């Protein structure tokens, strides 16, 4: 009885702390060639996961030559899906378990880096049920029992920031929605952020991943404050990776938005090395911010949008006409509706976000915060050719019940919204997203 009472009292204590989990990053043109030096003291037999579209490009050769010079054995795995699924994760996991690797290198975008995190986790600590480590309530939310094997992540896009986060996202096909695995122990040991690796980044991918940076920054900055997230955990070990907005994450998010204003549109010219470099930094900055603060409704609503797609294939993506909604498009498409609605929860933060994106907020008052922030995002979207809402992507109002159903389990992120969104609120937000311009 006393133990039960103690647990109840402990559960009632509000959150009193936040944790800034460190991210090891090295930035600069040419740092990819240092991967061998970094891995040599950590592992001797590594699995190199590479995006299939990157496999024939110079960065992979740089990685393999560097590992060879450091006398580290490398085995390449490129069976990675754009927007990975539970099935594609399992293929990588099986390969990792069979190879008995003692280290991992990921070269690619978020899909590749997330796949590497999953392969590392399940190879380090195998489990009979794949869902054991998957975020609750979809999975068991099991905490990794200990530290994972070394993983060096080398991004080739300017958006996901997976090189600095402890999150691995995948499409859970049976649910027709995305979910993920999240814990600080999944964070890569080192991120090598090399602007040279974006030279061959297609224009469409640069646009989509740039919007991922933008939404990461605004979502983490407008997330519920960490003190209001909920009760303190029973143990610091189970304090969530996504903790709510906090003073340190705010710094990273705001600086990322300032970079976006100056360099996002410029970076779409692949020859502008300075702009591409700065957008890679913006992605990393936003990643450090949201990797500790979290994201909220735009990401939570994006998961069923990506999982239920049946008719939309974006221009500029080499996916053999497979229906797909790239992650950056899925998160930004509902952002205007979301931030228009959440504006009155923390108006100063919505106004500040719009200001940093370059919009005039003189004399802006609280009741205008949501519309101002939404207009800023919508202008960027229209200027850069984002789809005109869910209708253009093949969705209709008849799909809203299933979209809501796919969003409700995403409590890891939706609970961080500054306003509580139940089924009715989500339905209204999806309806508002059907057409944007």
């Amino acid at each position: 009885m006393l133990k039960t009472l103690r647990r109840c009292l402990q559960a009632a204590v509000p959150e009193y702390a936040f944790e800034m989990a460190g991210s090891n990053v090295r930035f600069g043109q040419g740092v990819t060639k240092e991967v061998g030096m970094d891995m040599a003291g950590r592992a001797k037999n590594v699995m190199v996961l590479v995006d299939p579209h990157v496999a024939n490009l110079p960065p992979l050769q740089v990685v393999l030559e560097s590992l060879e010079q450091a006398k580290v054995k490398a085995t390449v795995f490129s069976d990675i899906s754009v927007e990975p699924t539970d099935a594609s994760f399992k293929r990588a996991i099986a390969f990792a378990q069979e190879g008995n690797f003692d280290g991992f290198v990921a070269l690619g975008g978020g899909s590749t880096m997330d796949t590497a995190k999953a392969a590392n986790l399940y190879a380090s600590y195998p489990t009979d049920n794949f869902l054991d480590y998957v975020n609750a309530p979809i999975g068991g939310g099991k905490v990794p029992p200990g530290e994972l094997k070394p993983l060096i992540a080398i991004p080739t896009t300017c958006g996901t920031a997976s090189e600095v986060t402890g999150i691995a996202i995948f499409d859970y096909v049976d649910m027709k929605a995305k979910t993920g695995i999240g814990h600080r122990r999944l964070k890569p040991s080192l991120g090598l952020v090399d602007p040279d690796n974006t030279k061959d980044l297609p224009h469409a991918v640069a646009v989509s991943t740039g919007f991922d940076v933008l939404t990461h920054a605004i979502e983490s900055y407008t997330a519920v404050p960490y003190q209001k997230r909920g009760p303190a955990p029973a143990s610091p070990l189970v304090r969530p990776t996504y903790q709510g907005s906090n003073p340190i994450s705010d710094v990273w998010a705001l600086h990322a938005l300032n970079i976006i204003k100056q360099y996002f549109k410029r970076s779409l010219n692949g020859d502008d090395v300075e702009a591409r470099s700065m957008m890679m930094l913006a992605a990393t900055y936003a990643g450090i911010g949201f990797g500790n603060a979290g994201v909220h409704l735009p990401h939570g609503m994006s998961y069923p949008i990506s999982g239920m797609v049946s008719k939309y294939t974006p221009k500029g993506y080499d996916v053999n006409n497979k229906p797909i909604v790239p992650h950056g498009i899925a998160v930004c498409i509902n952002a205007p509706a979301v931030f228009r609605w959440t504006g009155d929860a923390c108006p100063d933060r919505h106004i500040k976000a719009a200001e940093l994106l370059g919009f005039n907020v003189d004399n802006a008052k609280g009741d205008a915060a949501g519309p101002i922030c939404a207009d800023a995002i919508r202008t960027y979207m229209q200027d850069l050719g984002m789809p005109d809402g869910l209708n253009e992507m093949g969705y209709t109002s008849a799909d809203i019940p299933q979209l809501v159903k796919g969003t409700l389990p995403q409590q890891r992120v939706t609970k961080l919204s500054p306003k509580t969104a139940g089924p009715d609120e989500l339905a209204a937000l999806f309806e508002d997203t059907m057409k944007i311009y």
Side-chain angles (χ1 to χ4, degrees):
M1 182 65 135
L2 287 174
K3 288 183 179 178
T4 301
L5 179 60
R6 193 179 297 118
R7 283 197 297 270
C8 291
L9 288 172
Q10 187 176 33
V13 174
E15 180 61 279
Y16 57 89
F18 68 91
E19 179 175 340
M20 178 55 62
S23 301
N24 296 317
V25 176
R26 187 177 304 138
F27 173 87
Q29 283 185 262
V31 296
T32 302
K33 66 178 178 291
E34 298 178 4
V35 64
M37 173 201 72
D38 287 302
M39 192 57 86
R42 309 179 190 210
K44 296 180 179 179
N45 177 30
V46 303
M47 177 178 174
V48 178
L49 296 93
V50 61
D51 183 305
H53 300 293
V54 177
N56 297 317
L57 298 176
L60 178 59
Q61 195 58 38
V62 173
V63 167
L64 295 178
E65 288 177 359
S66 179
L67 292 170
E68 183 180 13
Q69 290 169 7
K71 296 182 170 50
V72 177
K73 181 182 176 183
T75 303
V76 174
F77 177 85
S78 61
D79 187 11
I80 295 168
S81 297
V82 177
E83 306 299 327
T85 65
D86 50 322
S88 70
F89 267 18
K90 289 175 183 177
R91 291 195 298 270
I93 290 165
F95 191 90
Q97 291 174 337
E98 291 168 8
N100 196 29
F101 302 105
D102 58 358
F104 297 82
V105 174
L107 177 68
S111 298
T112 301
M113 292 185 280
D114 285 3
T115 301
K117 293 174 190 176
N120 189 5
L121 172 61
Y122 288 87
S124 298
Y125 301 103
T127 178
D128 292 335
N129 186 348
F130 172 74
L131 291 177
D132 282 349
Y133 292 117
V134 174
N135 297 321
I138 294 171
K142 180 180 176 181
V143 174
E147 298 301 319
L148 307 190
K149 296 169 183 174
L151 165 60
I152 297 178
I154 309 172
T156 58
T157 64
C158 309
T160 66
S162 189
E163 72 276 5
V164 293
T165 71
I167 307 295
I169 300 296
F170 66 94
D171 213 346
Y172 189 30
V173 176
D174 287 349
M175 276 191 64
K176 293 187 176 180
K178 287 197 174 190
T179 184
I181 305 164
H183 193 272
R184 294 172 186 83
R185 286 175 173 162
L186 269 68
K187 282 195 175 198
S189 312
L190 174 66
L192 295 178
V193 183
D194 185 346
D196 282 349
N197 294 334
T198 66
K199 288 179 179 177
D200 296 295
L201 185 66
H203 181 273
V205 180
V207 173
S208 174
T209 55
F211 276 107
D212 199 16
V213 182
L214 188 153
T215 54
H216 282 159
I218 302 181
E219 286 178 72
S220 68
Y221 185 57
T222 59
V224 65
Y226 75 93
Q227 310 97 315
K228 297 181 180 180
R229 185 192 71 245
S235 164
L237 186 63
V238 293
R239 179 168 282 121
T241 305
Y242 285 177
Q243 302 163 86
S245 61
N246 60 78
I248 300 179
S249 287
D250 288 351
V251 172
W252 295 100
L254 293 175
H255 195 40
L257 288 173
N258 195 43
I259 292 175
I260 288 168
K261 176 184 69 176
Q262 298 178 68
Y263 293 102
F264 185 10
K265 293 179 181 179
R266 271 183 55 187
S267 73
L268 303 179
N269 173 1
D271 295 328
D272 192 332
V273 176
E274 180 190 18
R276 283 282 170 98
S277 299
M278 293 305 296
M279 281 303 292
M280 289 196 89
L281 275 179
T284 300
Y285 291 166
I288 295 172
F290 91 81
N292 292 280
V295 288
H296 57 88
L297 290 177
H299 271 71
M301 294 169 64
S302 79
Y303 297 149
I305 291 173
S306 294
M308 289 172 53
V309 63
S310 61
K311 301 175 182 177
Y312 180 73
T313 302
K315 296 177 182 178
Y317 272 78
D318 183 11
V319 290
N320 296 320
N321 293 317
K322 172 187 172 184
I324 184 176
V325 181
H327 179 64
I329 296 177
V331 295
C332 81
I333 205 72
N334 59 70
V338 168
F339 292 116
R340 186 182 302 111
W341 180 66
T342 58
D344 60 359
C346 45
D348 290 349
R349 288 182 173 245
H350 287 69
I351 291 170
K352 184 65 175 178
E355 179 184 19
L356 288 175
L357 287 174
F359 282 72
N360 185 349
V361 298
D362 291 347
N363 302 315
K365 299 192 177 173
D367 58 353
I372 288 172
C373 188
D375 286 347
I377 298 167
R378 187 174 59 234
T379 299
Y380 271 80
M381 291 172 63
Q382 191 163 21
D383 288 349
L384 297 178
M386 285 291 99
D388 185 12
L390 291 174
N391 284 156
E392 187 174 321
M393 295 156 63
Y395 289 100
T396 69
S397 296
D399 296 308
I400 289 178
Q402 283 301 115
L403 290 167
V404 170
K405 183 179 178 181
T407 303
L408 288 173
Q410 310 300 333
Q411 297 171 13
R412 175 182 62 91
V413 293
T414 56
K415 69 181 181 182
L416 294 174
S417 170
K419 292 175 71 172
T420 301
D424 292 343
E425 290 82 5
L426 289 171
L429 291 171
F430 278 118
E431 186 65 57
D432 197 20
T433 302
M434 286 296 161
K435 185 171 177 60
I436 297 175
Y437 309 130

